[in-house]
Amino acid sequence: MQTVVRTAFFMAVFTLIAKLFGFVREMFMAYYFGTSFITDAYVMSTNVPNIIFGGIFGALATAYMPLFSKKMEKEGEESASRFTNEVITILLIASTISALVGIIFSDQLTAVFARGFTGETAELCSFFIKVTFFYVFFTSTASLLEAFLQYKKVFLPQTATTILQNIVMIGTIIVSAVYDHHFLAFGLLIGYGIRMLILLLIARKKNLRYRPTRRLGSAGKEIVALTLPVFIGSCVAQINQFVDKTLATGLAEGSVTALNYGYLLVNLVSALSTTVILTLIYPRLSKSGALEDYEQFSTDIGKGFNLTAIMAIPCTLGILLYSEQIVQAVYERGAFDAASTSLTSGAFFFYGVGLFFTAINLVMIRGFYALRDMKTPVFIAILGVAINISLNLLLVDTMAHEGLALATSTSAFVRTFVYYFVFRKKYPYIQLIPSKKNLTLVCVASVVSVGLSYVLYAAMTRFWADYSLLIVIVCVIIFACLAYLVLLKIFKIEEVSLIRELIRRRR
């Protein structure tokens, strides 16, 4: 487990750097374009291909991991390599078809998925869709390459390549602001293309040798059969996001962009905590699941649950307390004014309500997948989508875009309890929560540390009003983290001891 913590530490550092570049990208976007019709069209154009095809390709990569693990552990590397070639062939064919669909039917896709857009906004969205459907070709292949490298215990390069990708996109935003905003979508295309090529070069060094196949073997047919349920189960967040943005196209200008910026902030927090843990735990779960080593499986998923809770609970409380200040510090400059901050902070707050529940859901979903139980998450995901859509329709008239964000979080809350009870019923020999007492202590430590941080925030804003709000927020976060670690140490939470041992050894 110390190896996992060490790798998680470096992944968190790389992810932080990558996300900082991502935030710089969004800050440039906010500075030059604010919450305008341009950003509304851009956000919708990037979501349409993801929701139609991107989720399927992501599901294919997710289903690939446990099946590849089974082939590798029980049949050998040659069988696993042949299986990988079949999956890559499927991806290339499907992504090529998706690109053609986007080019030919961009106007119709805009009319269906962005029905609230009219005039120049609809025309711009249609143009962007023609371009963004091409990048699915790169993201689909990159997703599979990431899964292959994760099983080979290669984690850091995948995160590092996103830094270069964000640099390319930042350059494109500047060029678009100076010359023509139609160039915006090409930043995505170029950035994702470069990322895929780098991952391909790394995978080749890990003995990936792609040879096109003319027909699917039994393994290829098996993954196709598994992809649909994984798609429904793993893409519930994308479906909810898409429903939110579709309804938001009929609200005030900037509502779509506000939801997007709020969700990006929540995603940053998630990437620094849950995503890192899941990336490391999922290959271990897949291997122990393939070998039917349920004692090791129980240990791994329990550690994943604990680490996720330790990271997600204080982050959730921090968002609820500082949502407006964070949005103001990160985005408010240039075309992003106080009105934009007000729109975005509301979305950020209500998305933040569901951060912890979404994080825990992802851990349990990966547990189902590692056990090759792809169907159970499907039914729970359908329930979640039904709840989200129902609450969207109920809340959108009274709370506007904030109601859409709240509906997403409420859906995540309900699914958490359903996932937990179903998992315990189907797999009673697997322990999800190693210690309920420790979970309670983590909650206590989170409340106390975040509460103490607000005392520091109040003092700094009163006595050092000349300081930049961004500096104040950074100081408050650092203080809250230190206080939190001290409390976890006092409460004798095991994972803190692992982190301390890691730091001692590195020194």
Short mmCIF file of all heavy atoms in Angstrom, two decimals, residues 182-215:
data_model
loop_
_atom_site.label_atom_id
_atom_site.label_comp_id
_atom_site.label_asym_id
_atom_site.label_seq_id
_atom_site.Cartn_x
_atom_site.Cartn_y
_atom_site.Cartn_z
N HIS A 182 -13.70 31.41 -34.46
CA HIS A 182 -13.96 30.12 -35.08
C HIS A 182 -12.79 29.15 -34.90
O HIS A 182 -12.95 27.93 -35.07
CB HIS A 182 -14.25 30.29 -36.58
CG HIS A 182 -15.59 30.89 -36.87
ND1 HIS A 182 -15.83 32.25 -36.80
CD2 HIS A 182 -16.78 30.30 -37.19
CE1 HIS A 182 -17.10 32.49 -37.10
NE2 HIS A 182 -17.70 31.32 -37.34
N PHE A 183 -11.60 29.67 -34.57
CA PHE A 183 -10.43 28.81 -34.37
C PHE A 183 -10.48 28.03 -33.06
O PHE A 183 -9.67 27.12 -32.85
CB PHE A 183 -9.14 29.63 -34.41
CG PHE A 183 -8.81 30.18 -35.75
CD1 PHE A 183 -8.45 31.52 -35.90
CD2 PHE A 183 -8.85 29.39 -36.88
CE1 PHE A 183 -8.15 32.04 -37.14
CE2 PHE A 183 -8.55 29.90 -38.13
CZ PHE A 183 -8.20 31.23 -38.27
N LEU A 184 -11.39 28.39 -32.15
CA LEU A 184 -11.40 27.80 -30.81
C LEU A 184 -11.42 26.27 -30.82
O LEU A 184 -10.66 25.61 -30.10
CB LEU A 184 -12.62 28.30 -30.02
CG LEU A 184 -12.49 29.64 -29.30
CD1 LEU A 184 -13.83 30.05 -28.70
CD2 LEU A 184 -11.44 29.54 -28.21
N ALA A 185 -12.28 25.69 -31.62
CA ALA A 185 -12.45 24.23 -31.61
C ALA A 185 -11.21 23.49 -32.10
O ALA A 185 -10.99 22.33 -31.75
CB ALA A 185 -13.66 23.84 -32.45
N PHE A 186 -10.38 24.17 -32.92
CA PHE A 186 -9.20 23.49 -33.46
C PHE A 186 -8.16 23.24 -32.37
O PHE A 186 -7.31 22.36 -32.52
CB PHE A 186 -8.60 24.30 -34.60
CG PHE A 186 -9.46 24.31 -35.83
CD1 PHE A 186 -10.34 25.35 -36.08
CD2 PHE A 186 -9.41 23.26 -36.73
CE1 PHE A 186 -11.14 25.36 -37.20
CE2 PHE A 186 -10.21 23.25 -37.87
CZ PHE A 186 -11.08 24.30 -38.11
N GLY A 187 -8.19 24.00 -31.29
CA GLY A 187 -7.28 23.74 -30.17
C GLY A 187 -7.52 22.38 -29.57
O GLY A 187 -6.57 21.66 -29.21
N LEU A 188 -8.80 21.99 -29.44
CA LEU A 188 -9.13 20.66 -28.93
C LEU A 188 -8.60 19.58 -29.86
O LEU A 188 -7.99 18.60 -29.42
CB LEU A 188 -10.65 20.52 -28.82
CG LEU A 188 -11.35 21.23 -27.66
CD1 LEU A 188 -12.85 21.22 -27.89
CD2 LEU A 188 -11.01 20.57 -26.34
N LEU A 189 -8.81 19.77 -31.15
CA LEU A 189 -8.41 18.77 -32.13
C LEU A 189 -6.90 18.54 -32.11
O LEU A 189 -6.41 17.40 -32.03
CB LEU A 189 -8.85 19.23 -33.53
CG LEU A 189 -8.70 18.23 -34.67
CD1 LEU A 189 -9.59 17.02 -34.45
CD2 LEU A 189 -9.04 18.90 -36.00
N ILE A 190 -6.13 19.62 -32.13
CA ILE A 190 -4.67 19.51 -32.15
C ILE A 190 -4.15 18.97 -30.83
O ILE A 190 -3.27 18.10 -30.79
CB ILE A 190 -4.04 20.89 -32.47
CG1 ILE A 190 -4.48 21.36 -33.86
CG2 ILE A 190 -2.51 20.80 -32.41
CD1 ILE A 190 -4.11 22.80 -34.15
N GLY A 191 -4.69 19.48 -29.72
CA GLY A 191 -4.22 19.07 -28.40
C GLY A 191 -4.43 17.59 -28.14
O GLY A 191 -3.51 16.89 -27.69
N TYR A 192 -5.63 17.08 -28.44
CA TYR A 192 -5.91 15.66 -28.23
C TYR A 192 -5.11 14.78 -29.19
O TYR A 192 -4.72 13.66 -28.85
CB TYR A 192 -7.40 15.38 -28.38
CG TYR A 192 -8.21 15.75 -27.17
CD1 TYR A 192 -9.13 16.80 -27.20
CD2 TYR A 192 -8.07 15.06 -25.97
CE1 TYR A 192 -9.88 17.14 -26.08
CE2 TYR A 192 -8.81 15.39 -24.85
CZ TYR A 192 -9.71 16.44 -24.92
OH TYR A 192 -10.45 16.78 -23.81
N GLY A 193 -4.88 15.29 -30.41
CA GLY A 193 -4.09 14.52 -31.37
C GLY A 193 -2.66 14.33 -30.89
O GLY A 193 -2.10 13.22 -30.97
N ILE A 194 -2.04 15.38 -30.38
CA ILE A 194 -0.68 15.28 -29.86
C ILE A 194 -0.63 14.33 -28.67
O ILE A 194 0.29 13.51 -28.55
CB ILE A 194 -0.16 16.68 -29.46
CG1 ILE A 194 0.01 17.55 -30.71
CG2 ILE A 194 1.15 16.59 -28.68
CD1 ILE A 194 0.37 18.98 -30.41
N ARG A 195 -1.62 14.41 -27.81
CA ARG A 195 -1.64 13.55 -26.63
C ARG A 195 -1.72 12.08 -27.02
O ARG A 195 -1.03 11.22 -26.46
CB ARG A 195 -2.83 13.93 -25.74
CG ARG A 195 -2.91 13.14 -24.45
CD ARG A 195 -3.89 13.81 -23.50
NE ARG A 195 -3.88 13.12 -22.23
CZ ARG A 195 -4.73 12.13 -21.90
NH1 ARG A 195 -5.63 11.73 -22.77
NH2 ARG A 195 -4.66 11.55 -20.71
N MET A 196 -2.57 11.75 -28.00
CA MET A 196 -2.70 10.37 -28.42
C MET A 196 -1.39 9.83 -29.00
O MET A 196 -0.99 8.70 -28.72
CB MET A 196 -3.80 10.25 -29.48
CG MET A 196 -4.12 8.82 -29.88
SD MET A 196 -4.74 8.65 -31.57
CE MET A 196 -3.24 8.99 -32.51
N LEU A 197 -0.70 10.64 -29.79
CA LEU A 197 0.55 10.20 -30.40
C LEU A 197 1.62 9.92 -29.34
O LEU A 197 2.37 8.94 -29.44
CB LEU A 197 1.04 11.26 -31.38
CG LEU A 197 0.23 11.41 -32.67
CD1 LEU A 197 0.76 12.57 -33.51
CD2 LEU A 197 0.26 10.12 -33.48
N ILE A 198 1.69 10.75 -28.32
CA ILE A 198 2.67 10.54 -27.25
C ILE A 198 2.37 9.25 -26.49
O ILE A 198 3.27 8.45 -26.20
CB ILE A 198 2.69 11.75 -26.29
CG1 ILE A 198 3.22 12.99 -27.02
CG2 ILE A 198 3.57 11.45 -25.07
CD1 ILE A 198 3.15 14.25 -26.20
N LEU A 199 1.10 9.03 -26.16
CA LEU A 199 0.72 7.80 -25.46
C LEU A 199 1.01 6.56 -26.30
O LEU A 199 1.41 5.52 -25.79
CB LEU A 199 -0.76 7.85 -25.08
CG LEU A 199 -1.17 8.87 -24.01
CD1 LEU A 199 -2.67 8.82 -23.79
CD2 LEU A 199 -0.44 8.62 -22.70
N LEU A 200 0.82 6.69 -27.61
CA LEU A 200 1.09 5.57 -28.50
C LEU A 200 2.57 5.22 -28.48
O LEU A 200 2.95 4.04 -28.45
CB LEU A 200 0.65 5.92 -29.92
CG LEU A 200 0.85 4.83 -30.99
CD1 LEU A 200 0.08 3.56 -30.62
CD2 LEU A 200 0.42 5.34 -32.36
N LEU A 201 3.44 6.23 -28.50
CA LEU A 201 4.88 5.99 -28.45
C LEU A 201 5.28 5.30 -27.14
O LEU A 201 6.11 4.39 -27.13
CB LEU A 201 5.64 7.30 -28.62
CG LEU A 201 5.53 7.96 -30.00
CD1 LEU A 201 6.21 9.33 -29.99
CD2 LEU A 201 6.14 7.07 -31.08
N ILE A 202 4.68 5.74 -26.03
CA ILE A 202 4.99 5.13 -24.73
C ILE A 202 4.50 3.69 -24.68
O ILE A 202 5.18 2.78 -24.19
CB ILE A 202 4.37 5.95 -23.59
CG1 ILE A 202 4.95 7.37 -23.57
CG2 ILE A 202 4.61 5.27 -22.23
CD1 ILE A 202 4.25 8.31 -22.61
N ALA A 203 3.29 3.45 -25.22
CA ALA A 203 2.73 2.10 -25.21
C ALA A 203 3.57 1.15 -26.06
O ALA A 203 3.72 -0.04 -25.72
CB ALA A 203 1.30 2.13 -25.73
N ARG A 204 4.14 1.64 -27.15
CA ARG A 204 4.99 0.79 -27.98
C ARG A 204 6.23 0.33 -27.22
O ARG A 204 6.72 -0.78 -27.41
CB ARG A 204 5.39 1.54 -29.26
CG ARG A 204 4.27 1.66 -30.29
CD ARG A 204 4.73 2.38 -31.53
NE ARG A 204 5.79 1.66 -32.22
CZ ARG A 204 5.60 0.66 -33.06
NH1 ARG A 204 4.37 0.25 -33.33
NH2 ARG A 204 6.61 0.06 -33.65
N LYS A 205 6.73 1.18 -26.34
CA LYS A 205 7.87 0.79 -25.52
C LYS A 205 7.49 -0.27 -24.49
O LYS A 205 8.37 -0.95 -23.95
CB LYS A 205 8.44 2.02 -24.82
CG LYS A 205 9.10 3.02 -25.76
CD LYS A 205 9.71 4.19 -25.01
CE LYS A 205 10.40 5.15 -25.96
NZ LYS A 205 11.02 6.30 -25.24
N LYS A 206 6.18 -0.39 -24.24
CA LYS A 206 5.69 -1.42 -23.32
C LYS A 206 5.12 -2.62 -24.09
O LYS A 206 4.24 -3.32 -23.61
CB LYS A 206 4.61 -0.83 -22.39
CG LYS A 206 5.15 0.20 -21.41
CD LYS A 206 6.10 -0.44 -20.42
CE LYS A 206 6.67 0.55 -19.43
NZ LYS A 206 7.57 -0.10 -18.45
N ASN A 207 5.66 -2.81 -25.30
CA ASN A 207 5.35 -3.99 -26.12
C ASN A 207 3.96 -4.00 -26.73
O ASN A 207 3.42 -5.07 -27.02
CB ASN A 207 5.56 -5.29 -25.33
CG ASN A 207 7.01 -5.47 -24.89
OD1 ASN A 207 7.94 -5.12 -25.63
ND2 ASN A 207 7.20 -5.99 -23.69
N LEU A 208 3.37 -2.82 -26.92
CA LEU A 208 2.12 -2.77 -27.68
C LEU A 208 2.46 -2.79 -29.17
O LEU A 208 3.14 -1.90 -29.67
CB LEU A 208 1.33 -1.50 -27.35
CG LEU A 208 0.05 -1.31 -28.17
CD1 LEU A 208 -0.98 -2.36 -27.78
CD2 LEU A 208 -0.53 0.08 -27.96
N ARG A 209 2.01 -3.79 -29.88
CA ARG A 209 2.25 -3.93 -31.31
C ARG A 209 0.91 -4.11 -32.00
O ARG A 209 0.34 -5.20 -32.01
CB ARG A 209 3.17 -5.13 -31.59
CG ARG A 209 4.56 -5.01 -30.99
CD ARG A 209 5.37 -3.91 -31.68
NE ARG A 209 6.72 -3.82 -31.13
CZ ARG A 209 7.07 -2.99 -30.15
NH1 ARG A 209 6.14 -2.21 -29.61
NH2 ARG A 209 8.31 -2.93 -29.71
N TYR A 210 0.42 -3.03 -32.60
CA TYR A 210 -0.90 -3.11 -33.21
C TYR A 210 -0.83 -3.68 -34.62
O TYR A 210 -0.05 -3.23 -35.47
CB TYR A 210 -1.54 -1.72 -33.27
CG TYR A 210 -2.84 -1.70 -34.04
CD1 TYR A 210 -3.93 -2.47 -33.62
CD2 TYR A 210 -2.96 -0.97 -35.22
CE1 TYR A 210 -5.11 -2.49 -34.33
CE2 TYR A 210 -4.15 -0.98 -35.94
CZ TYR A 210 -5.22 -1.75 -35.49
OH TYR A 210 -6.39 -1.77 -36.21
N ARG A 211 -1.65 -4.69 -34.86
CA ARG A 211 -1.81 -5.27 -36.18
C ARG A 211 -3.32 -5.33 -36.47
O ARG A 211 -4.06 -5.99 -35.75
CB ARG A 211 -1.22 -6.68 -36.24
CG ARG A 211 0.29 -6.71 -36.01
CD ARG A 211 0.81 -8.15 -36.05
NE ARG A 211 2.25 -8.21 -35.81
CZ ARG A 211 2.80 -8.22 -34.60
NH1 ARG A 211 2.00 -8.17 -33.53
NH2 ARG A 211 4.11 -8.26 -34.46
N PRO A 212 -3.76 -4.63 -37.52
CA PRO A 212 -5.21 -4.61 -37.83
C PRO A 212 -5.77 -6.01 -38.02
O PRO A 212 -5.11 -6.89 -38.59
CB PRO A 212 -5.27 -3.81 -39.14
CG PRO A 212 -4.02 -3.00 -39.15
CD PRO A 212 -2.98 -3.83 -38.47
N THR A 213 -6.97 -6.23 -37.52
CA THR A 213 -7.62 -7.53 -37.65
C THR A 213 -8.87 -7.39 -38.53
O THR A 213 -9.59 -6.40 -38.44
CB THR A 213 -8.04 -8.07 -36.27
OG1 THR A 213 -8.89 -7.10 -35.62
CG2 THR A 213 -6.82 -8.32 -35.40
N ARG A 214 -9.10 -8.39 -39.36
CA ARG A 214 -10.23 -8.33 -40.28
C ARG A 214 -11.52 -8.88 -39.67
O ARG A 214 -12.60 -8.58 -40.14
CB ARG A 214 -9.90 -9.12 -41.55
CG ARG A 214 -8.76 -8.50 -42.35
CD ARG A 214 -8.55 -9.28 -43.65
NE ARG A 214 -7.49 -8.69 -44.45
CZ ARG A 214 -7.08 -9.15 -45.64
NH1 ARG A 214 -7.68 -10.24 -46.15
NH2 ARG A 214 -6.12 -8.56 -46.28
N ARG A 215 -11.38 -9.68 -38.65
CA ARG A 215 -12.57 -10.24 -38.02
C ARG A 215 -12.39 -10.28 -36.51
O ARG A 215 -11.27 -10.32 -36.01
CB ARG A 215 -12.86 -11.64 -38.54
CG ARG A 215 -11.77 -12.65 -38.24
CD ARG A 215 -12.15 -14.02 -38.77
NE ARG A 215 -11.15 -15.01 -38.42
CZ ARG A 215 -11.27 -16.31 -38.70
NH1 ARG A 215 -12.37 -16.74 -39.32
NH2 ARG A 215 -10.31 -17.16 -38.36
#
